[in-house]
Amino acid sequence: MTPRPEIVRPELDGPFPEHIAVVMDGNGRWAEKRSQPRVFGHRAGVESVREVVTSCARMGVQSLTLYAFSVENWKRPEAEISQLMRLLKVFLVRERRLLMKNGVRLSGLGRLDDLPAAALEELRKTEELTGDNDGMLLRLALSYGSRTELAEAARQVALDVREGALDPDRIDDETLRSYLYDPLTPDPDLLIRTAGEMRLSNFLLWQASYAELYVTERCWPEFREAELMESIHAYAKRRRKFGGLVGKVREVVGEDSAGA
Ligand code: IPE
Ligand code: IPE
Ligand code: MG
């Protein structure tokens, strides 16, 4: 087997985002601008997926979560859904070599049983094949909806309480987290949305509470390595405070004691 390409971290002015999540939006608009059918944009979007996955893996990003299909996307015309599902299936087969080469572990996130049998089968095969890889975790959010995830968690919490397996007085943030689809993967640090929309569209509502948001006007098919690097450099310049007073603690204490 060929050795995995060396991990090369970019030089940054600040921290590196260990977990990047992306709302890959604007495939349709990108195609419409070129007077092409929407599927043309979805196909070009697959190229961006390939490039961003490879580039993240080679930079040593720990987790990459791509919003590929939402629970609400089932409302789209049947023809578009089946084109998307076919592209998903082809991607899962074609990219296996690339995933293996880069040590990527792939995993589905969402109501995966909603997927057509053929796509689900290829997803499971790819998960199994890449399951022992110790490089980047690539989570594909498929038939994913954050509200559904939270409702399913609430239902399971209620069942566990009813069975006496869970004490309601002990439920806290971490308890609820343990009922989510993938409780062990740390929260995203950087959440990118392409095509300019300033909304989350039901993506990782719980997990993105403190993610740094980055919205670009570029459509997903135009989002390649250079745009990814731009977003990572922008992230490195952010000051994350998580509600605290990072770097200001002494100043505040000083003012307080001077006034006393
Ligand atoms: C993102 O592109 C792909 C999916 C949601 C599956 P869109 O298909 O939403 O493209 P726009 O937003 O219509 O341009
Ligand atoms: C969000 O994009 C879902 C995915 C990228 C898979 P949408 O295009 O579905 O979101 P809205 O409809 O603009 O909110
Ligand atoms: Mg869209």
Side-chain angles (χ1 to χ4, degrees), residues 250-260:
R250 271 183 49 206
E251 192 187 313
V252 172
V253 170
E255 275 167 21
D256 193 34
S257 49

Side-chain angles (χ1 to χ4, degrees), residues 24-29 38 73 76 193 195 197 199 201:
M24 308 184 289
D25 199 16
N27 291 353
R29 275 164 278 176
R38 293 174 57 83
N73 288 150
R76 295 197 181 187
R193 182 164 186 147
E197 256 26 286
R199 54 178 175 256
S201 300

Side-chain angles (χ1 to χ4, degrees), residues 23-32 38 41-42 67-70 73 76 80 84 193-195 197 199 219-221:
V23 181
M24 308 184 289
D25 199 16
N27 291 353
R29 275 164 278 176
W30 182 84
E32 279 153 26
R38 293 174 57 83
H42 295 316
Y67 203 6
F69 195 87
S70 73
N73 288 150
R76 295 197 181 187
E80 178 163 349
L84 282 166
R193 182 164 186 147
T194 57
E197 256 26 286
R199 54 178 175 256
C219 291
W220 177 247

Side-chain angles (χ1 to χ4, degrees), residues 92-93 95-100 104-106 122-133:
L92 288 166
V93 176
E95 305 308 329
R96 278 181 195 142
R97 263 185 43 196
L98 186 78
L99 298 176
M100 294 307 286
V104 174
R105 180 162 60 92
L106 181 138
E122 298 305 341
L123 175 69
R124 293 305 185 203
K125 277 191 200 161
T126 311
E127 285 178 334
E128 204 181 306
L129 177 77
T130 63
D132 290 331
N133 287 345

Side-chain angles (χ1 to χ4, degrees), residues 180-197:
L180 300 178
Y181 292 144
D182 179 8
L184 297 181
T185 299
D187 291 340
D189 299 301
L190 169 62
L191 192 152
I192 299 167
R193 182 164 186 147
T194 57
E197 256 26 286

Side-chain angles (χ1 to χ4, degrees), residues 7 54 56 65 70 139 143 151 167 196 205 223:
I7 300 250
T54 311
C56 284
T65 305
S70 73
R139 303 192 306 173
S143 193
D167 175 358
L205 302 182
F223 192 91

